[in-house]
Structures are given as C-alpha cells and as structure tokens.
Amino acid sequence: MDRLVDLHMHSTASDGTLTPGEVVAMAREEGLAAIALTDHDTTAGLPEAIAAGRRLGVEVVPGIEISAKRERGTLHIVGLFIDPGDGRLEERCQALRAERGRRNERIVSRLCELGMPVTLDEVRGKSGGGVIGRPHFAAVMVEKGYVATREEAFDRWLAKGQPAYFPKALLDPAESIAMIHDAGGVAVCAHPSQLRCAGERELEGAIAELRHHGLDAIETQWSTATAEEMALTERIAGRQRLLRSGGSDFHGGNKPDIRMGVARGQIRVTADVLEALRRAARPRART
Ligand code: AMP
Ligand code: ZN
Ligand code: FE
Ligand code: FE
C-alpha cells in the first residue's frame, strides 16, 4: 500500500488551531508518512514541527504559504523544501506580517463601526501567538454572538467584497515564486479553484503564466476539489509539464470539516508525489 502524505497544512503559527507539535502528533495518529507545514507568511512553526517529526517518525517538509496578487479570486503559492533558517525569507515574511498588522487594525475599526466591537487583544487571544488572519476574527465573532458560524462571519462580513474585508498588500506572483526559490524551495500553486477561472482553457492560461514565472508544481488534490476539478488540473499539469502536489489545507478547529490526509474524503496524496517534488528541490538547496 502506498504511504499517504499531506503537503498543505496550518498550525497555531498562523491560523490553524493545533500547535506544530500537535499537528505532527495527529499526522502520526492518522498514519501519514510525511506532512508539509505551510503556515501563512511565517516559518516560525517549523523548528517545533521538525523536532516532533524526528521524535515521532513523521517526515516534516518545511513549507510556507504566500498570498499573491490576482485580479479575480485568490492566488496562494505554497513553498515546499524551503530552508527554514533563510534570513532573506524571514525578512520578507516580516514585511508581509507588518502589512497584516495594519490590515488587522482596519478590520477591528470596521467591525466596531458595523456594531460588532472586537479588540485586537481578543483576536490575538484566538491566534495562539501566531500570525493573525481572518479566521481568528471569525472565531471572535462567533464567540461574541455576532454570527452563528465562522462561515457566516466570512460570507457576510470578512470575505472579499463584504463590508469588513480589507485586502492585504500582496506580492506579485513572480516575486512570491522567486522568494520561495531563493530560499531553496519549490513553488506550488495551491487550491487552483480559488483562481476562479471560468474553465479549463482559462485556468491553463493562468497556470501557464505562473509557469513562465518559474512555478514548479500545481496542487491537483485540495480540500474543496471535485473529481472533475482534480482531473482537469491533472491534465493541465501534464500539458504544462508541472509537478503535482496536494494536501488537505488542514486548519484544525478553524476548518472543522477538514481531516488531515483526506480533506473531505476525496484526496489521496501518495509518497511518490513527494519524491518528485524532493528531486526538483534538491538542486536548489544550499548547504
Ligand atoms: P487571511 O490570510 O487573513 O486573508 O485569511 C485567509 C484564511 O481565511 C485562509 O485560511 C482561508 O481558508 C480562510 N478563508 C478565506 N475565505 C474564507 C471563507 N469564505 N470561508 C471560510 N474561510 C475562509
Ligand atoms: Zn489559513
Ligand atoms: Fe490558501
Ligand atoms: Fe492554506
């Protein structure tokens, strides 16, 4: 039987609810051979995850997830096999986190104006000390009874186009990819359905453009993917000669319907997918 891996997940270093060590412990419980920890804009969770992985016999691939500019939908680039100690990567992440800090203050003010007062401290309390993102706002809004569910918090208030949405200052796709390459990693287009392309041709055009900027791989399995979407991205990966990746985008209690390794039961990422990505990363690694 092929061992299963999960190459996209979050911890309390960003907007997941399990600590990096707990994520790895759960991966072991689930029988996963390897995971990638891919927190938003930070590598802070990696040392703890890697140490836990050594202890528990689960390979931990050092990763990160960066949001990039896109006119429609959202574009997330996952980096895998990055060097967690890369100084330039840390510097660039710090700038992204500073930008988030300004955005968080705006969201706080807007929610107050909208009659749903929250404080930055309350939001920070949900973040476990990690990078603060919209899921933490959603959690506070549920707790304070402003909305019934996290989904409602996004759908009515926090999602793009809603009254408490503020964009982050985003990097260009080329910059995001270069930042991952410079840190020794491979760059993966995450959850391609979020690009909101109208069909296979349009998606292939968007992916081809990213490939032109150095993209190495595309997720062909992700948490919301249908069988049809997975087949379509497989075809695009083949034609564009991109590697495949995939993962659940596990966030613990912030996405309670997602189970690591299997997402909603429809994904199954095998160890050979990881090996191909490892081979692509090897020439880039610096020692
Ligand atoms: P941020 O990085 O602060 O923009 O927040 C991004 C996080 O919010 C990711 O983990 C997303 O999965 C989550 N998210 C974005 N849109 C939604 C939505 N409509 N419903 C639930 N979670 C969402
Ligand atoms: Zn997230
Ligand atoms: Fe994402
Ligand atoms: Fe993610």
Side-chain angles (χ1 to χ4, degrees):
M1 201 187 80
D2 282 331
R3 304 288 315 270
L4 294 188
V5 305
D6 187 333
L7 303 179
H8 187 154
M9 39 177 63
H10 297 265
S11 73
T12 48
S14 66
D15 53 3
T17 57
L18 301 190
T19 64
E22 288 167 346
V23 169
V24 177
M26 184 181 277
R28 184 191 147 95
E29 294 285 302
E30 296 282 3
L32 299 175
I35 64 158
L37 187 66
T38 56
D39 277 306
H40 300 279
D41 301 339
T42 184
T43 57
L46 295 176
E48 179 185 322
I50 291 166
R54 286 213 181 98
R55 226 172 29 245
L56 298 173
V58 176
E59 178 180 358
V60 174
V61 175
I64 193 161
E65 182 171 21
I66 306 289
S67 311
K69 252 177 233 162
R70 172 164 171 86
E71 272 182 25
R72 185 152 29 93
T74 53
L75 171 56
H76 288 176
I77 309 283
V78 160
L80 299 176
F81 294 104
I82 53 161
D83 171 2
D86 188 277
R88 186 143 161 74
L89 179 65
E90 177 50 26
E91 209 173 281
R92 288 161 150 175
C93 284
Q94 252 166 31
L96 295 173
R97 295 196 299 263
E99 189 56 48
R100 273 182 182 274
R102 290 186 279 277
R103 177 205 202 203
N104 292 337
E105 285 171 17
R106 286 194 182 138
I107 299 177
V108 165
S109 319
R110 178 60 56 83
L111 289 174
C112 291
E113 287 164 18
L114 291 166
M116 295 177 282
V118 305
T119 67
L120 213 43
D121 273 342
E122 289 169 329
V123 181
R124 204 175 282 123
K126 293 285 172 203
S127 77
V131 176
I132 295 172
R134 286 178 290 162
H136 303 120
F137 283 90
V140 173
M141 290 167 77
V142 172
E143 190 173 87
K144 299 188 90 173
Y146 301 147
V147 289
T149 63
R150 297 179 191 86
E151 281 310 313
E152 188 188 343
F154 273 94
D155 293 347
R156 288 184 64 191
W157 307 107
L158 298 168
K160 204 170 187 174
Q162 299 310 310
Y165 175 77
F166 290 93
K168 289 176 283 194
L170 299 172
L171 296 177
D172 287 323
E175 288 175 304
S176 318
I177 293 168
M179 162 171 168
I180 288 163
H181 285 173
D182 290 349
V186 292
V188 183
C189 175
H191 37 65
S193 55
Q194 287 191 16
L195 299 181
R196 294 201 170 283
C197 289
E200 185 161 350
R201 280 175 68 98
E202 196 181 311
L203 180 59
E204 184 158 2
I207 296 297
E209 195 179 323
L210 294 172
R211 188 183 191 286
H212 173 75
H213 292 303
L215 189 78
D216 302 286
I218 174 173
E219 285 185 355
T220 56
Q221 302 187 58
W222 66 96
S223 66
T224 64
T226 61
E228 191 185 342
E229 286 173 326
M230 293 194 273
L232 182 155
T233 47
E234 266 297 329
R235 290 195 291 272
I236 292 176
R239 287 193 296 262
Q240 294 294 321
R241 297 212 193 87
L242 287 164
L243 296 172
R244 283 92 170 149
S245 184
S248 64
D249 210 356
F250 177 79
H251 280 70
N254 278 337
K255 290 191 183 176
D257 51 335
I258 302 288
R259 179 166 158 206
M260 74 168 60
V262 298
R264 295 186 168 90
Q266 86 282 38
I267 75 167
R268 193 173 185 284
V269 185
T270 48
D272 56 309
V273 168
L274 174 60
E275 292 318 312
L277 292 163
R278 192 195 311 279
R279 282 193 294 277
R282 204 163 279 145
R284 245 175 234 142
R286 284 149 311 152
T287 45

